[in-house]
Amino acid sequence: MSRLDFFVGRLTSQRAALNYAFGLIDGVPGPVVELGLGNGRSYDHLREHIKNRRIFVFERNVGAYPDCTPPDQDLILGEVTENLPRAVELVGQPAALLHSDLGSNDKPATKKLYERIAPGLRAALAKGGILVSDQPVETAGLEPLTAPDVMPGRYFIYRAI
Amino acid sequence: MSRLDFFVGRLTSQRAALNYAFGLIDGVPGPVVELGLGNGRSYDHLREHIKNRRIFVFERNVGAYPDCTPPDQDLILGEVTENLPRAVELVGQPAALLHSDLGSNDKPATKKLYERIAPGLRAALAKGGILVSDQPVETAGLEPLTAPDVMPGRYFIYRAI
């Protein structure tokens, strides 16, 4: 499997996971939170499919396409390790959907980061809310879900219980 | 259509176009040439599927994953506008497959670049050779092909006639 194959699998799985999550949050109150804006592709996808909720983005350095950059009032600048534990306070209420896309090519650092933020991911979510993540997350209060077209190990979905 | 949708379409079309081209070059002599290494994803794909030809890469600034960077002797550093017209000389013979992925978010500049290099793309190819391109190319001696799973307008295939 080439890097191209792998990346296609990752992106199609990301999209399938997000699309699946959209159907799961209908009855769950709260905004959407994205951790990691990147170039804004998935933010644009969230924005296109979720019209009736605010979408907050936590990011350290904004480097997205200008037309995929959130408005200032929806952008929470700073370190996710500092801001995620305060997420409910920062965005006003627990989130219905949380998309975390913080992994890098540094696998050990990515693993460490996710171990550190795992409880904060759960804490940022309303009960019944959905976490879509580029990395596996193990913490109390999150149950893994499987979704159509999401390749195992390539993207991850959890429900807050 | 979100940017995520668009990008998924672009990548899956790129891969489908390359995969289709692999089947077309069996009887055509010559190496493979890639213009634009990027992070090396498509180079890795070429390398995985084409074992019996050299794969040359033309690139200005190498910034690929270390394990997707070509060996020095297969890397042609410099401006493609300068090196492409000398491609046959630089790689030793006309190419059987040419993958050109030089587009940027600057659409006018991309269009201008491709207008400028179009004759060089044809000249770098053996007769019967295949051009796979991220941009449309119009020049004498290239006939457009259609390929399964390549979304129209998202990636382009031509045969040198």
Side-chain angles (χ1 to χ4, degrees), chain A residues 34-137:
Chain A
E34 180 163 77
L35 308 181
L37 178 62
N39 54 30
R41 278 193 298 258
S42 60
Y43 173 71
D44 192 44
H45 198 70
L46 292 170
R47 183 169 70 166
E48 186 174 293
H49 289 275
I50 300 181
K51 304 285 189 190
N52 57 344
R53 303 175 195 256
R54 269 181 85 176
I55 305 173
F56 294 91
V57 176
F58 288 44
E59 174 60 65
R60 189 162 43 185
N61 300 305
V62 174
Y65 302 117
D67 64 354
C68 296
T69 300
D72 285 349
Q73 66 272 22
D74 297 342
L75 201 49
I76 316 267
L77 293 170
E79 295 294 330
V80 71
T81 47
E82 288 171 25
N83 285 333
L84 182 61
R86 301 195 295 133
V88 173
E89 178 193 335
L90 289 167
V91 310
Q93 61 177 312
L97 173 61
L98 181 53
H99 175 220
S100 183
D101 187 9
L102 297 168
S104 70
N105 287 316
D106 185 339
K107 286 184 188 177
T110 298
K111 190 166 182 288
K112 205 170 159 187
L113 173 64
Y114 269 84
E115 283 167 4
R116 181 169 171 192
I117 67 170
L121 293 170
R122 171 61 189 90
L125 279 168
K127 196 172 176 185
I130 302 295
L131 167 65
V132 174
S133 172
D134 69 328
Q135 304 294 326
V137 178

Side-chain angles (χ1 to χ4, degrees), chain B residues 15-34:
Chain B
R15 181 172 62 170
L18 291 172
N19 291 350
Y20 188 67
F22 298 151
L24 299 177
I25 60 169
D26 263 358
V28 184
V32 175
V33 172
E34 180 164 76

Side-chain angles (χ1 to χ4, degrees), chain A residues 1-5 7-8 11-12 14-15 18 41 44-45 48 65 67-68 105, chain B residues 1-5 7-8 11-12 14-15 18 41 44-45 48 65 67-68 105:
Chain A
M1 168 171 295
S2 69
R3 279 208 185 242
L4 180 57
D5 290 321
F7 194 58
V8 166
L11 278 183
T12 56
Q14 178 189 66
R15 180 173 61 170
L18 290 172
R41 278 193 298 258
D44 192 44
H45 198 70
E48 186 174 293
Y65 302 117
D67 64 354
C68 296
N105 287 316
Chain B
M1 169 172 293
S2 70
R3 277 206 186 244
L4 179 57
D5 290 322
F7 194 59
V8 166
L11 278 184
T12 56
Q14 178 190 67
R15 181 172 62 170
L18 291 172
R41 277 193 299 257
D44 192 43
H45 198 70
E48 185 173 293
Y65 301 117
D67 63 354
C68 295
N105 287 317

